[in-house]
Amino acid sequence: MNVAILGCGHVGLELGRQLDARGHDAIGVRRSGEGIRQIEDAGFEAVQADVTDREALAAVPDVDAVVFIASSGGRGAEAAREIYVDGLRTAIEAFGERENPPDRLVYTSSTGVHGDHDGDWVDEQTPLEPTTEKTTVLAEAERIALELPPEYGYEGTVARYAGLYGPGRYRLERYLEGPVTEGYLNMVHRDDAAGAVRYLLEEDLARGEVVQVVDDEPAEKWAFADWLADECGVDRPPKRTKTERLEDDELSEAARRRILTSKRCSNEKLRELGYEFAYSTFREGYRDAIDAYVG
């Protein structure tokens, strides 16, 4: 396959490496010179372009598949809309209007679109209930990713990511030092976030569908933090309830909503499709970080 990775950052670089290792041609697209250097260092083709700029995207060669994995950089809802709605629509149209359009699109979303379910399980069939402006934008982007490509003769897939972790994003100190607020963590290692998309493309699966990309075990934050502390040989961190955390008058409204949001995300569909995880739970996924910490 020839695969264009739009917004080829943390996960995109790993996706490109995996595709290249398996004989496919990956093309990483970033708008910054530093981003281009990172792609070249990873060993595959790089094109400098802004995903929101239709003319700039013309520099990207024709491909079999487009993976839209751009980030709004942690900024607010307005920036998210510019990337995930306007940029996604621009990319779908720009590639779809070509003489040789792609065969499919994969858009990477977030399990944040589920909102609060009071700790209950959610899957691809659960109605979306986003609780912030940003996750509302992400839910709109999912709809665009599924509905717009068929107007141009190709198909879309939504890969809905849980919280990403892995090299450079372990955040050990956050959990070892605390205080740790109660709730659930739904996670997926960077290698599996990339691996799941690569697998769906290679096996030609989940066209026109949503697939949650999350590992086998949602982690209760207090238990997770205690496990990390025990493995690292340090004292278990202090804990606080949601009620105690919400007593902070300086919390933003968005932060309050995140604290109140609780759910456990199922990966049953991804498992049934046949994907085998490199890191099926945090116990395997955090081993390198723990070994490095212990020294």
Side-chain angles (χ1 to χ4, degrees), residues 8-36:
C8 189
H10 183 63
V11 176
L13 289 168
E14 176 61 21
L15 174 59
R17 285 189 288 263
Q18 290 189 23
L19 289 168
D20 183 68
R22 296 169 72 92
H24 307 293
D25 292 323
I27 302 163
V29 180
R30 291 280 291 274
R31 63 183 177 183
S32 71
E34 175 58 29
I36 294 302

Side-chain angles (χ1 to χ4, degrees), residues 273-294:
L273 289 171
Y275 180 69
E276 294 293 335
F277 282 80
Y279 304 98
S280 56
T281 76
F282 61 85
R283 295 175 188 83
E284 296 81 21
Y286 266 82
R287 181 52 52 194
D288 287 348
I290 291 167
D291 290 345
Y293 182 90
V294 174

Side-chain angles (χ1 to χ4, degrees), residues 5 8 13 26-30 32-33 35-41 43-49 59-61:
I5 306 168
C8 189
L13 289 168
I27 302 163
V29 180
R30 291 280 291 274
S32 71
I36 294 302
R37 285 188 289 275
Q38 290 176 4
I39 295 167
E40 291 172 342
D41 288 344
F44 55 98
E45 184 177 349
V47 174
Q48 189 164 359
V60 182

Side-chain angles (χ1 to χ4, degrees), residues 4 25 45 69 81 155 174 250 260:
D25 292 323
E45 184 177 349
I69 198 168
R81 176 168 294 278
E155 295 174 285
R174 171 184 172 186
E250 296 183 1
L260 290 169

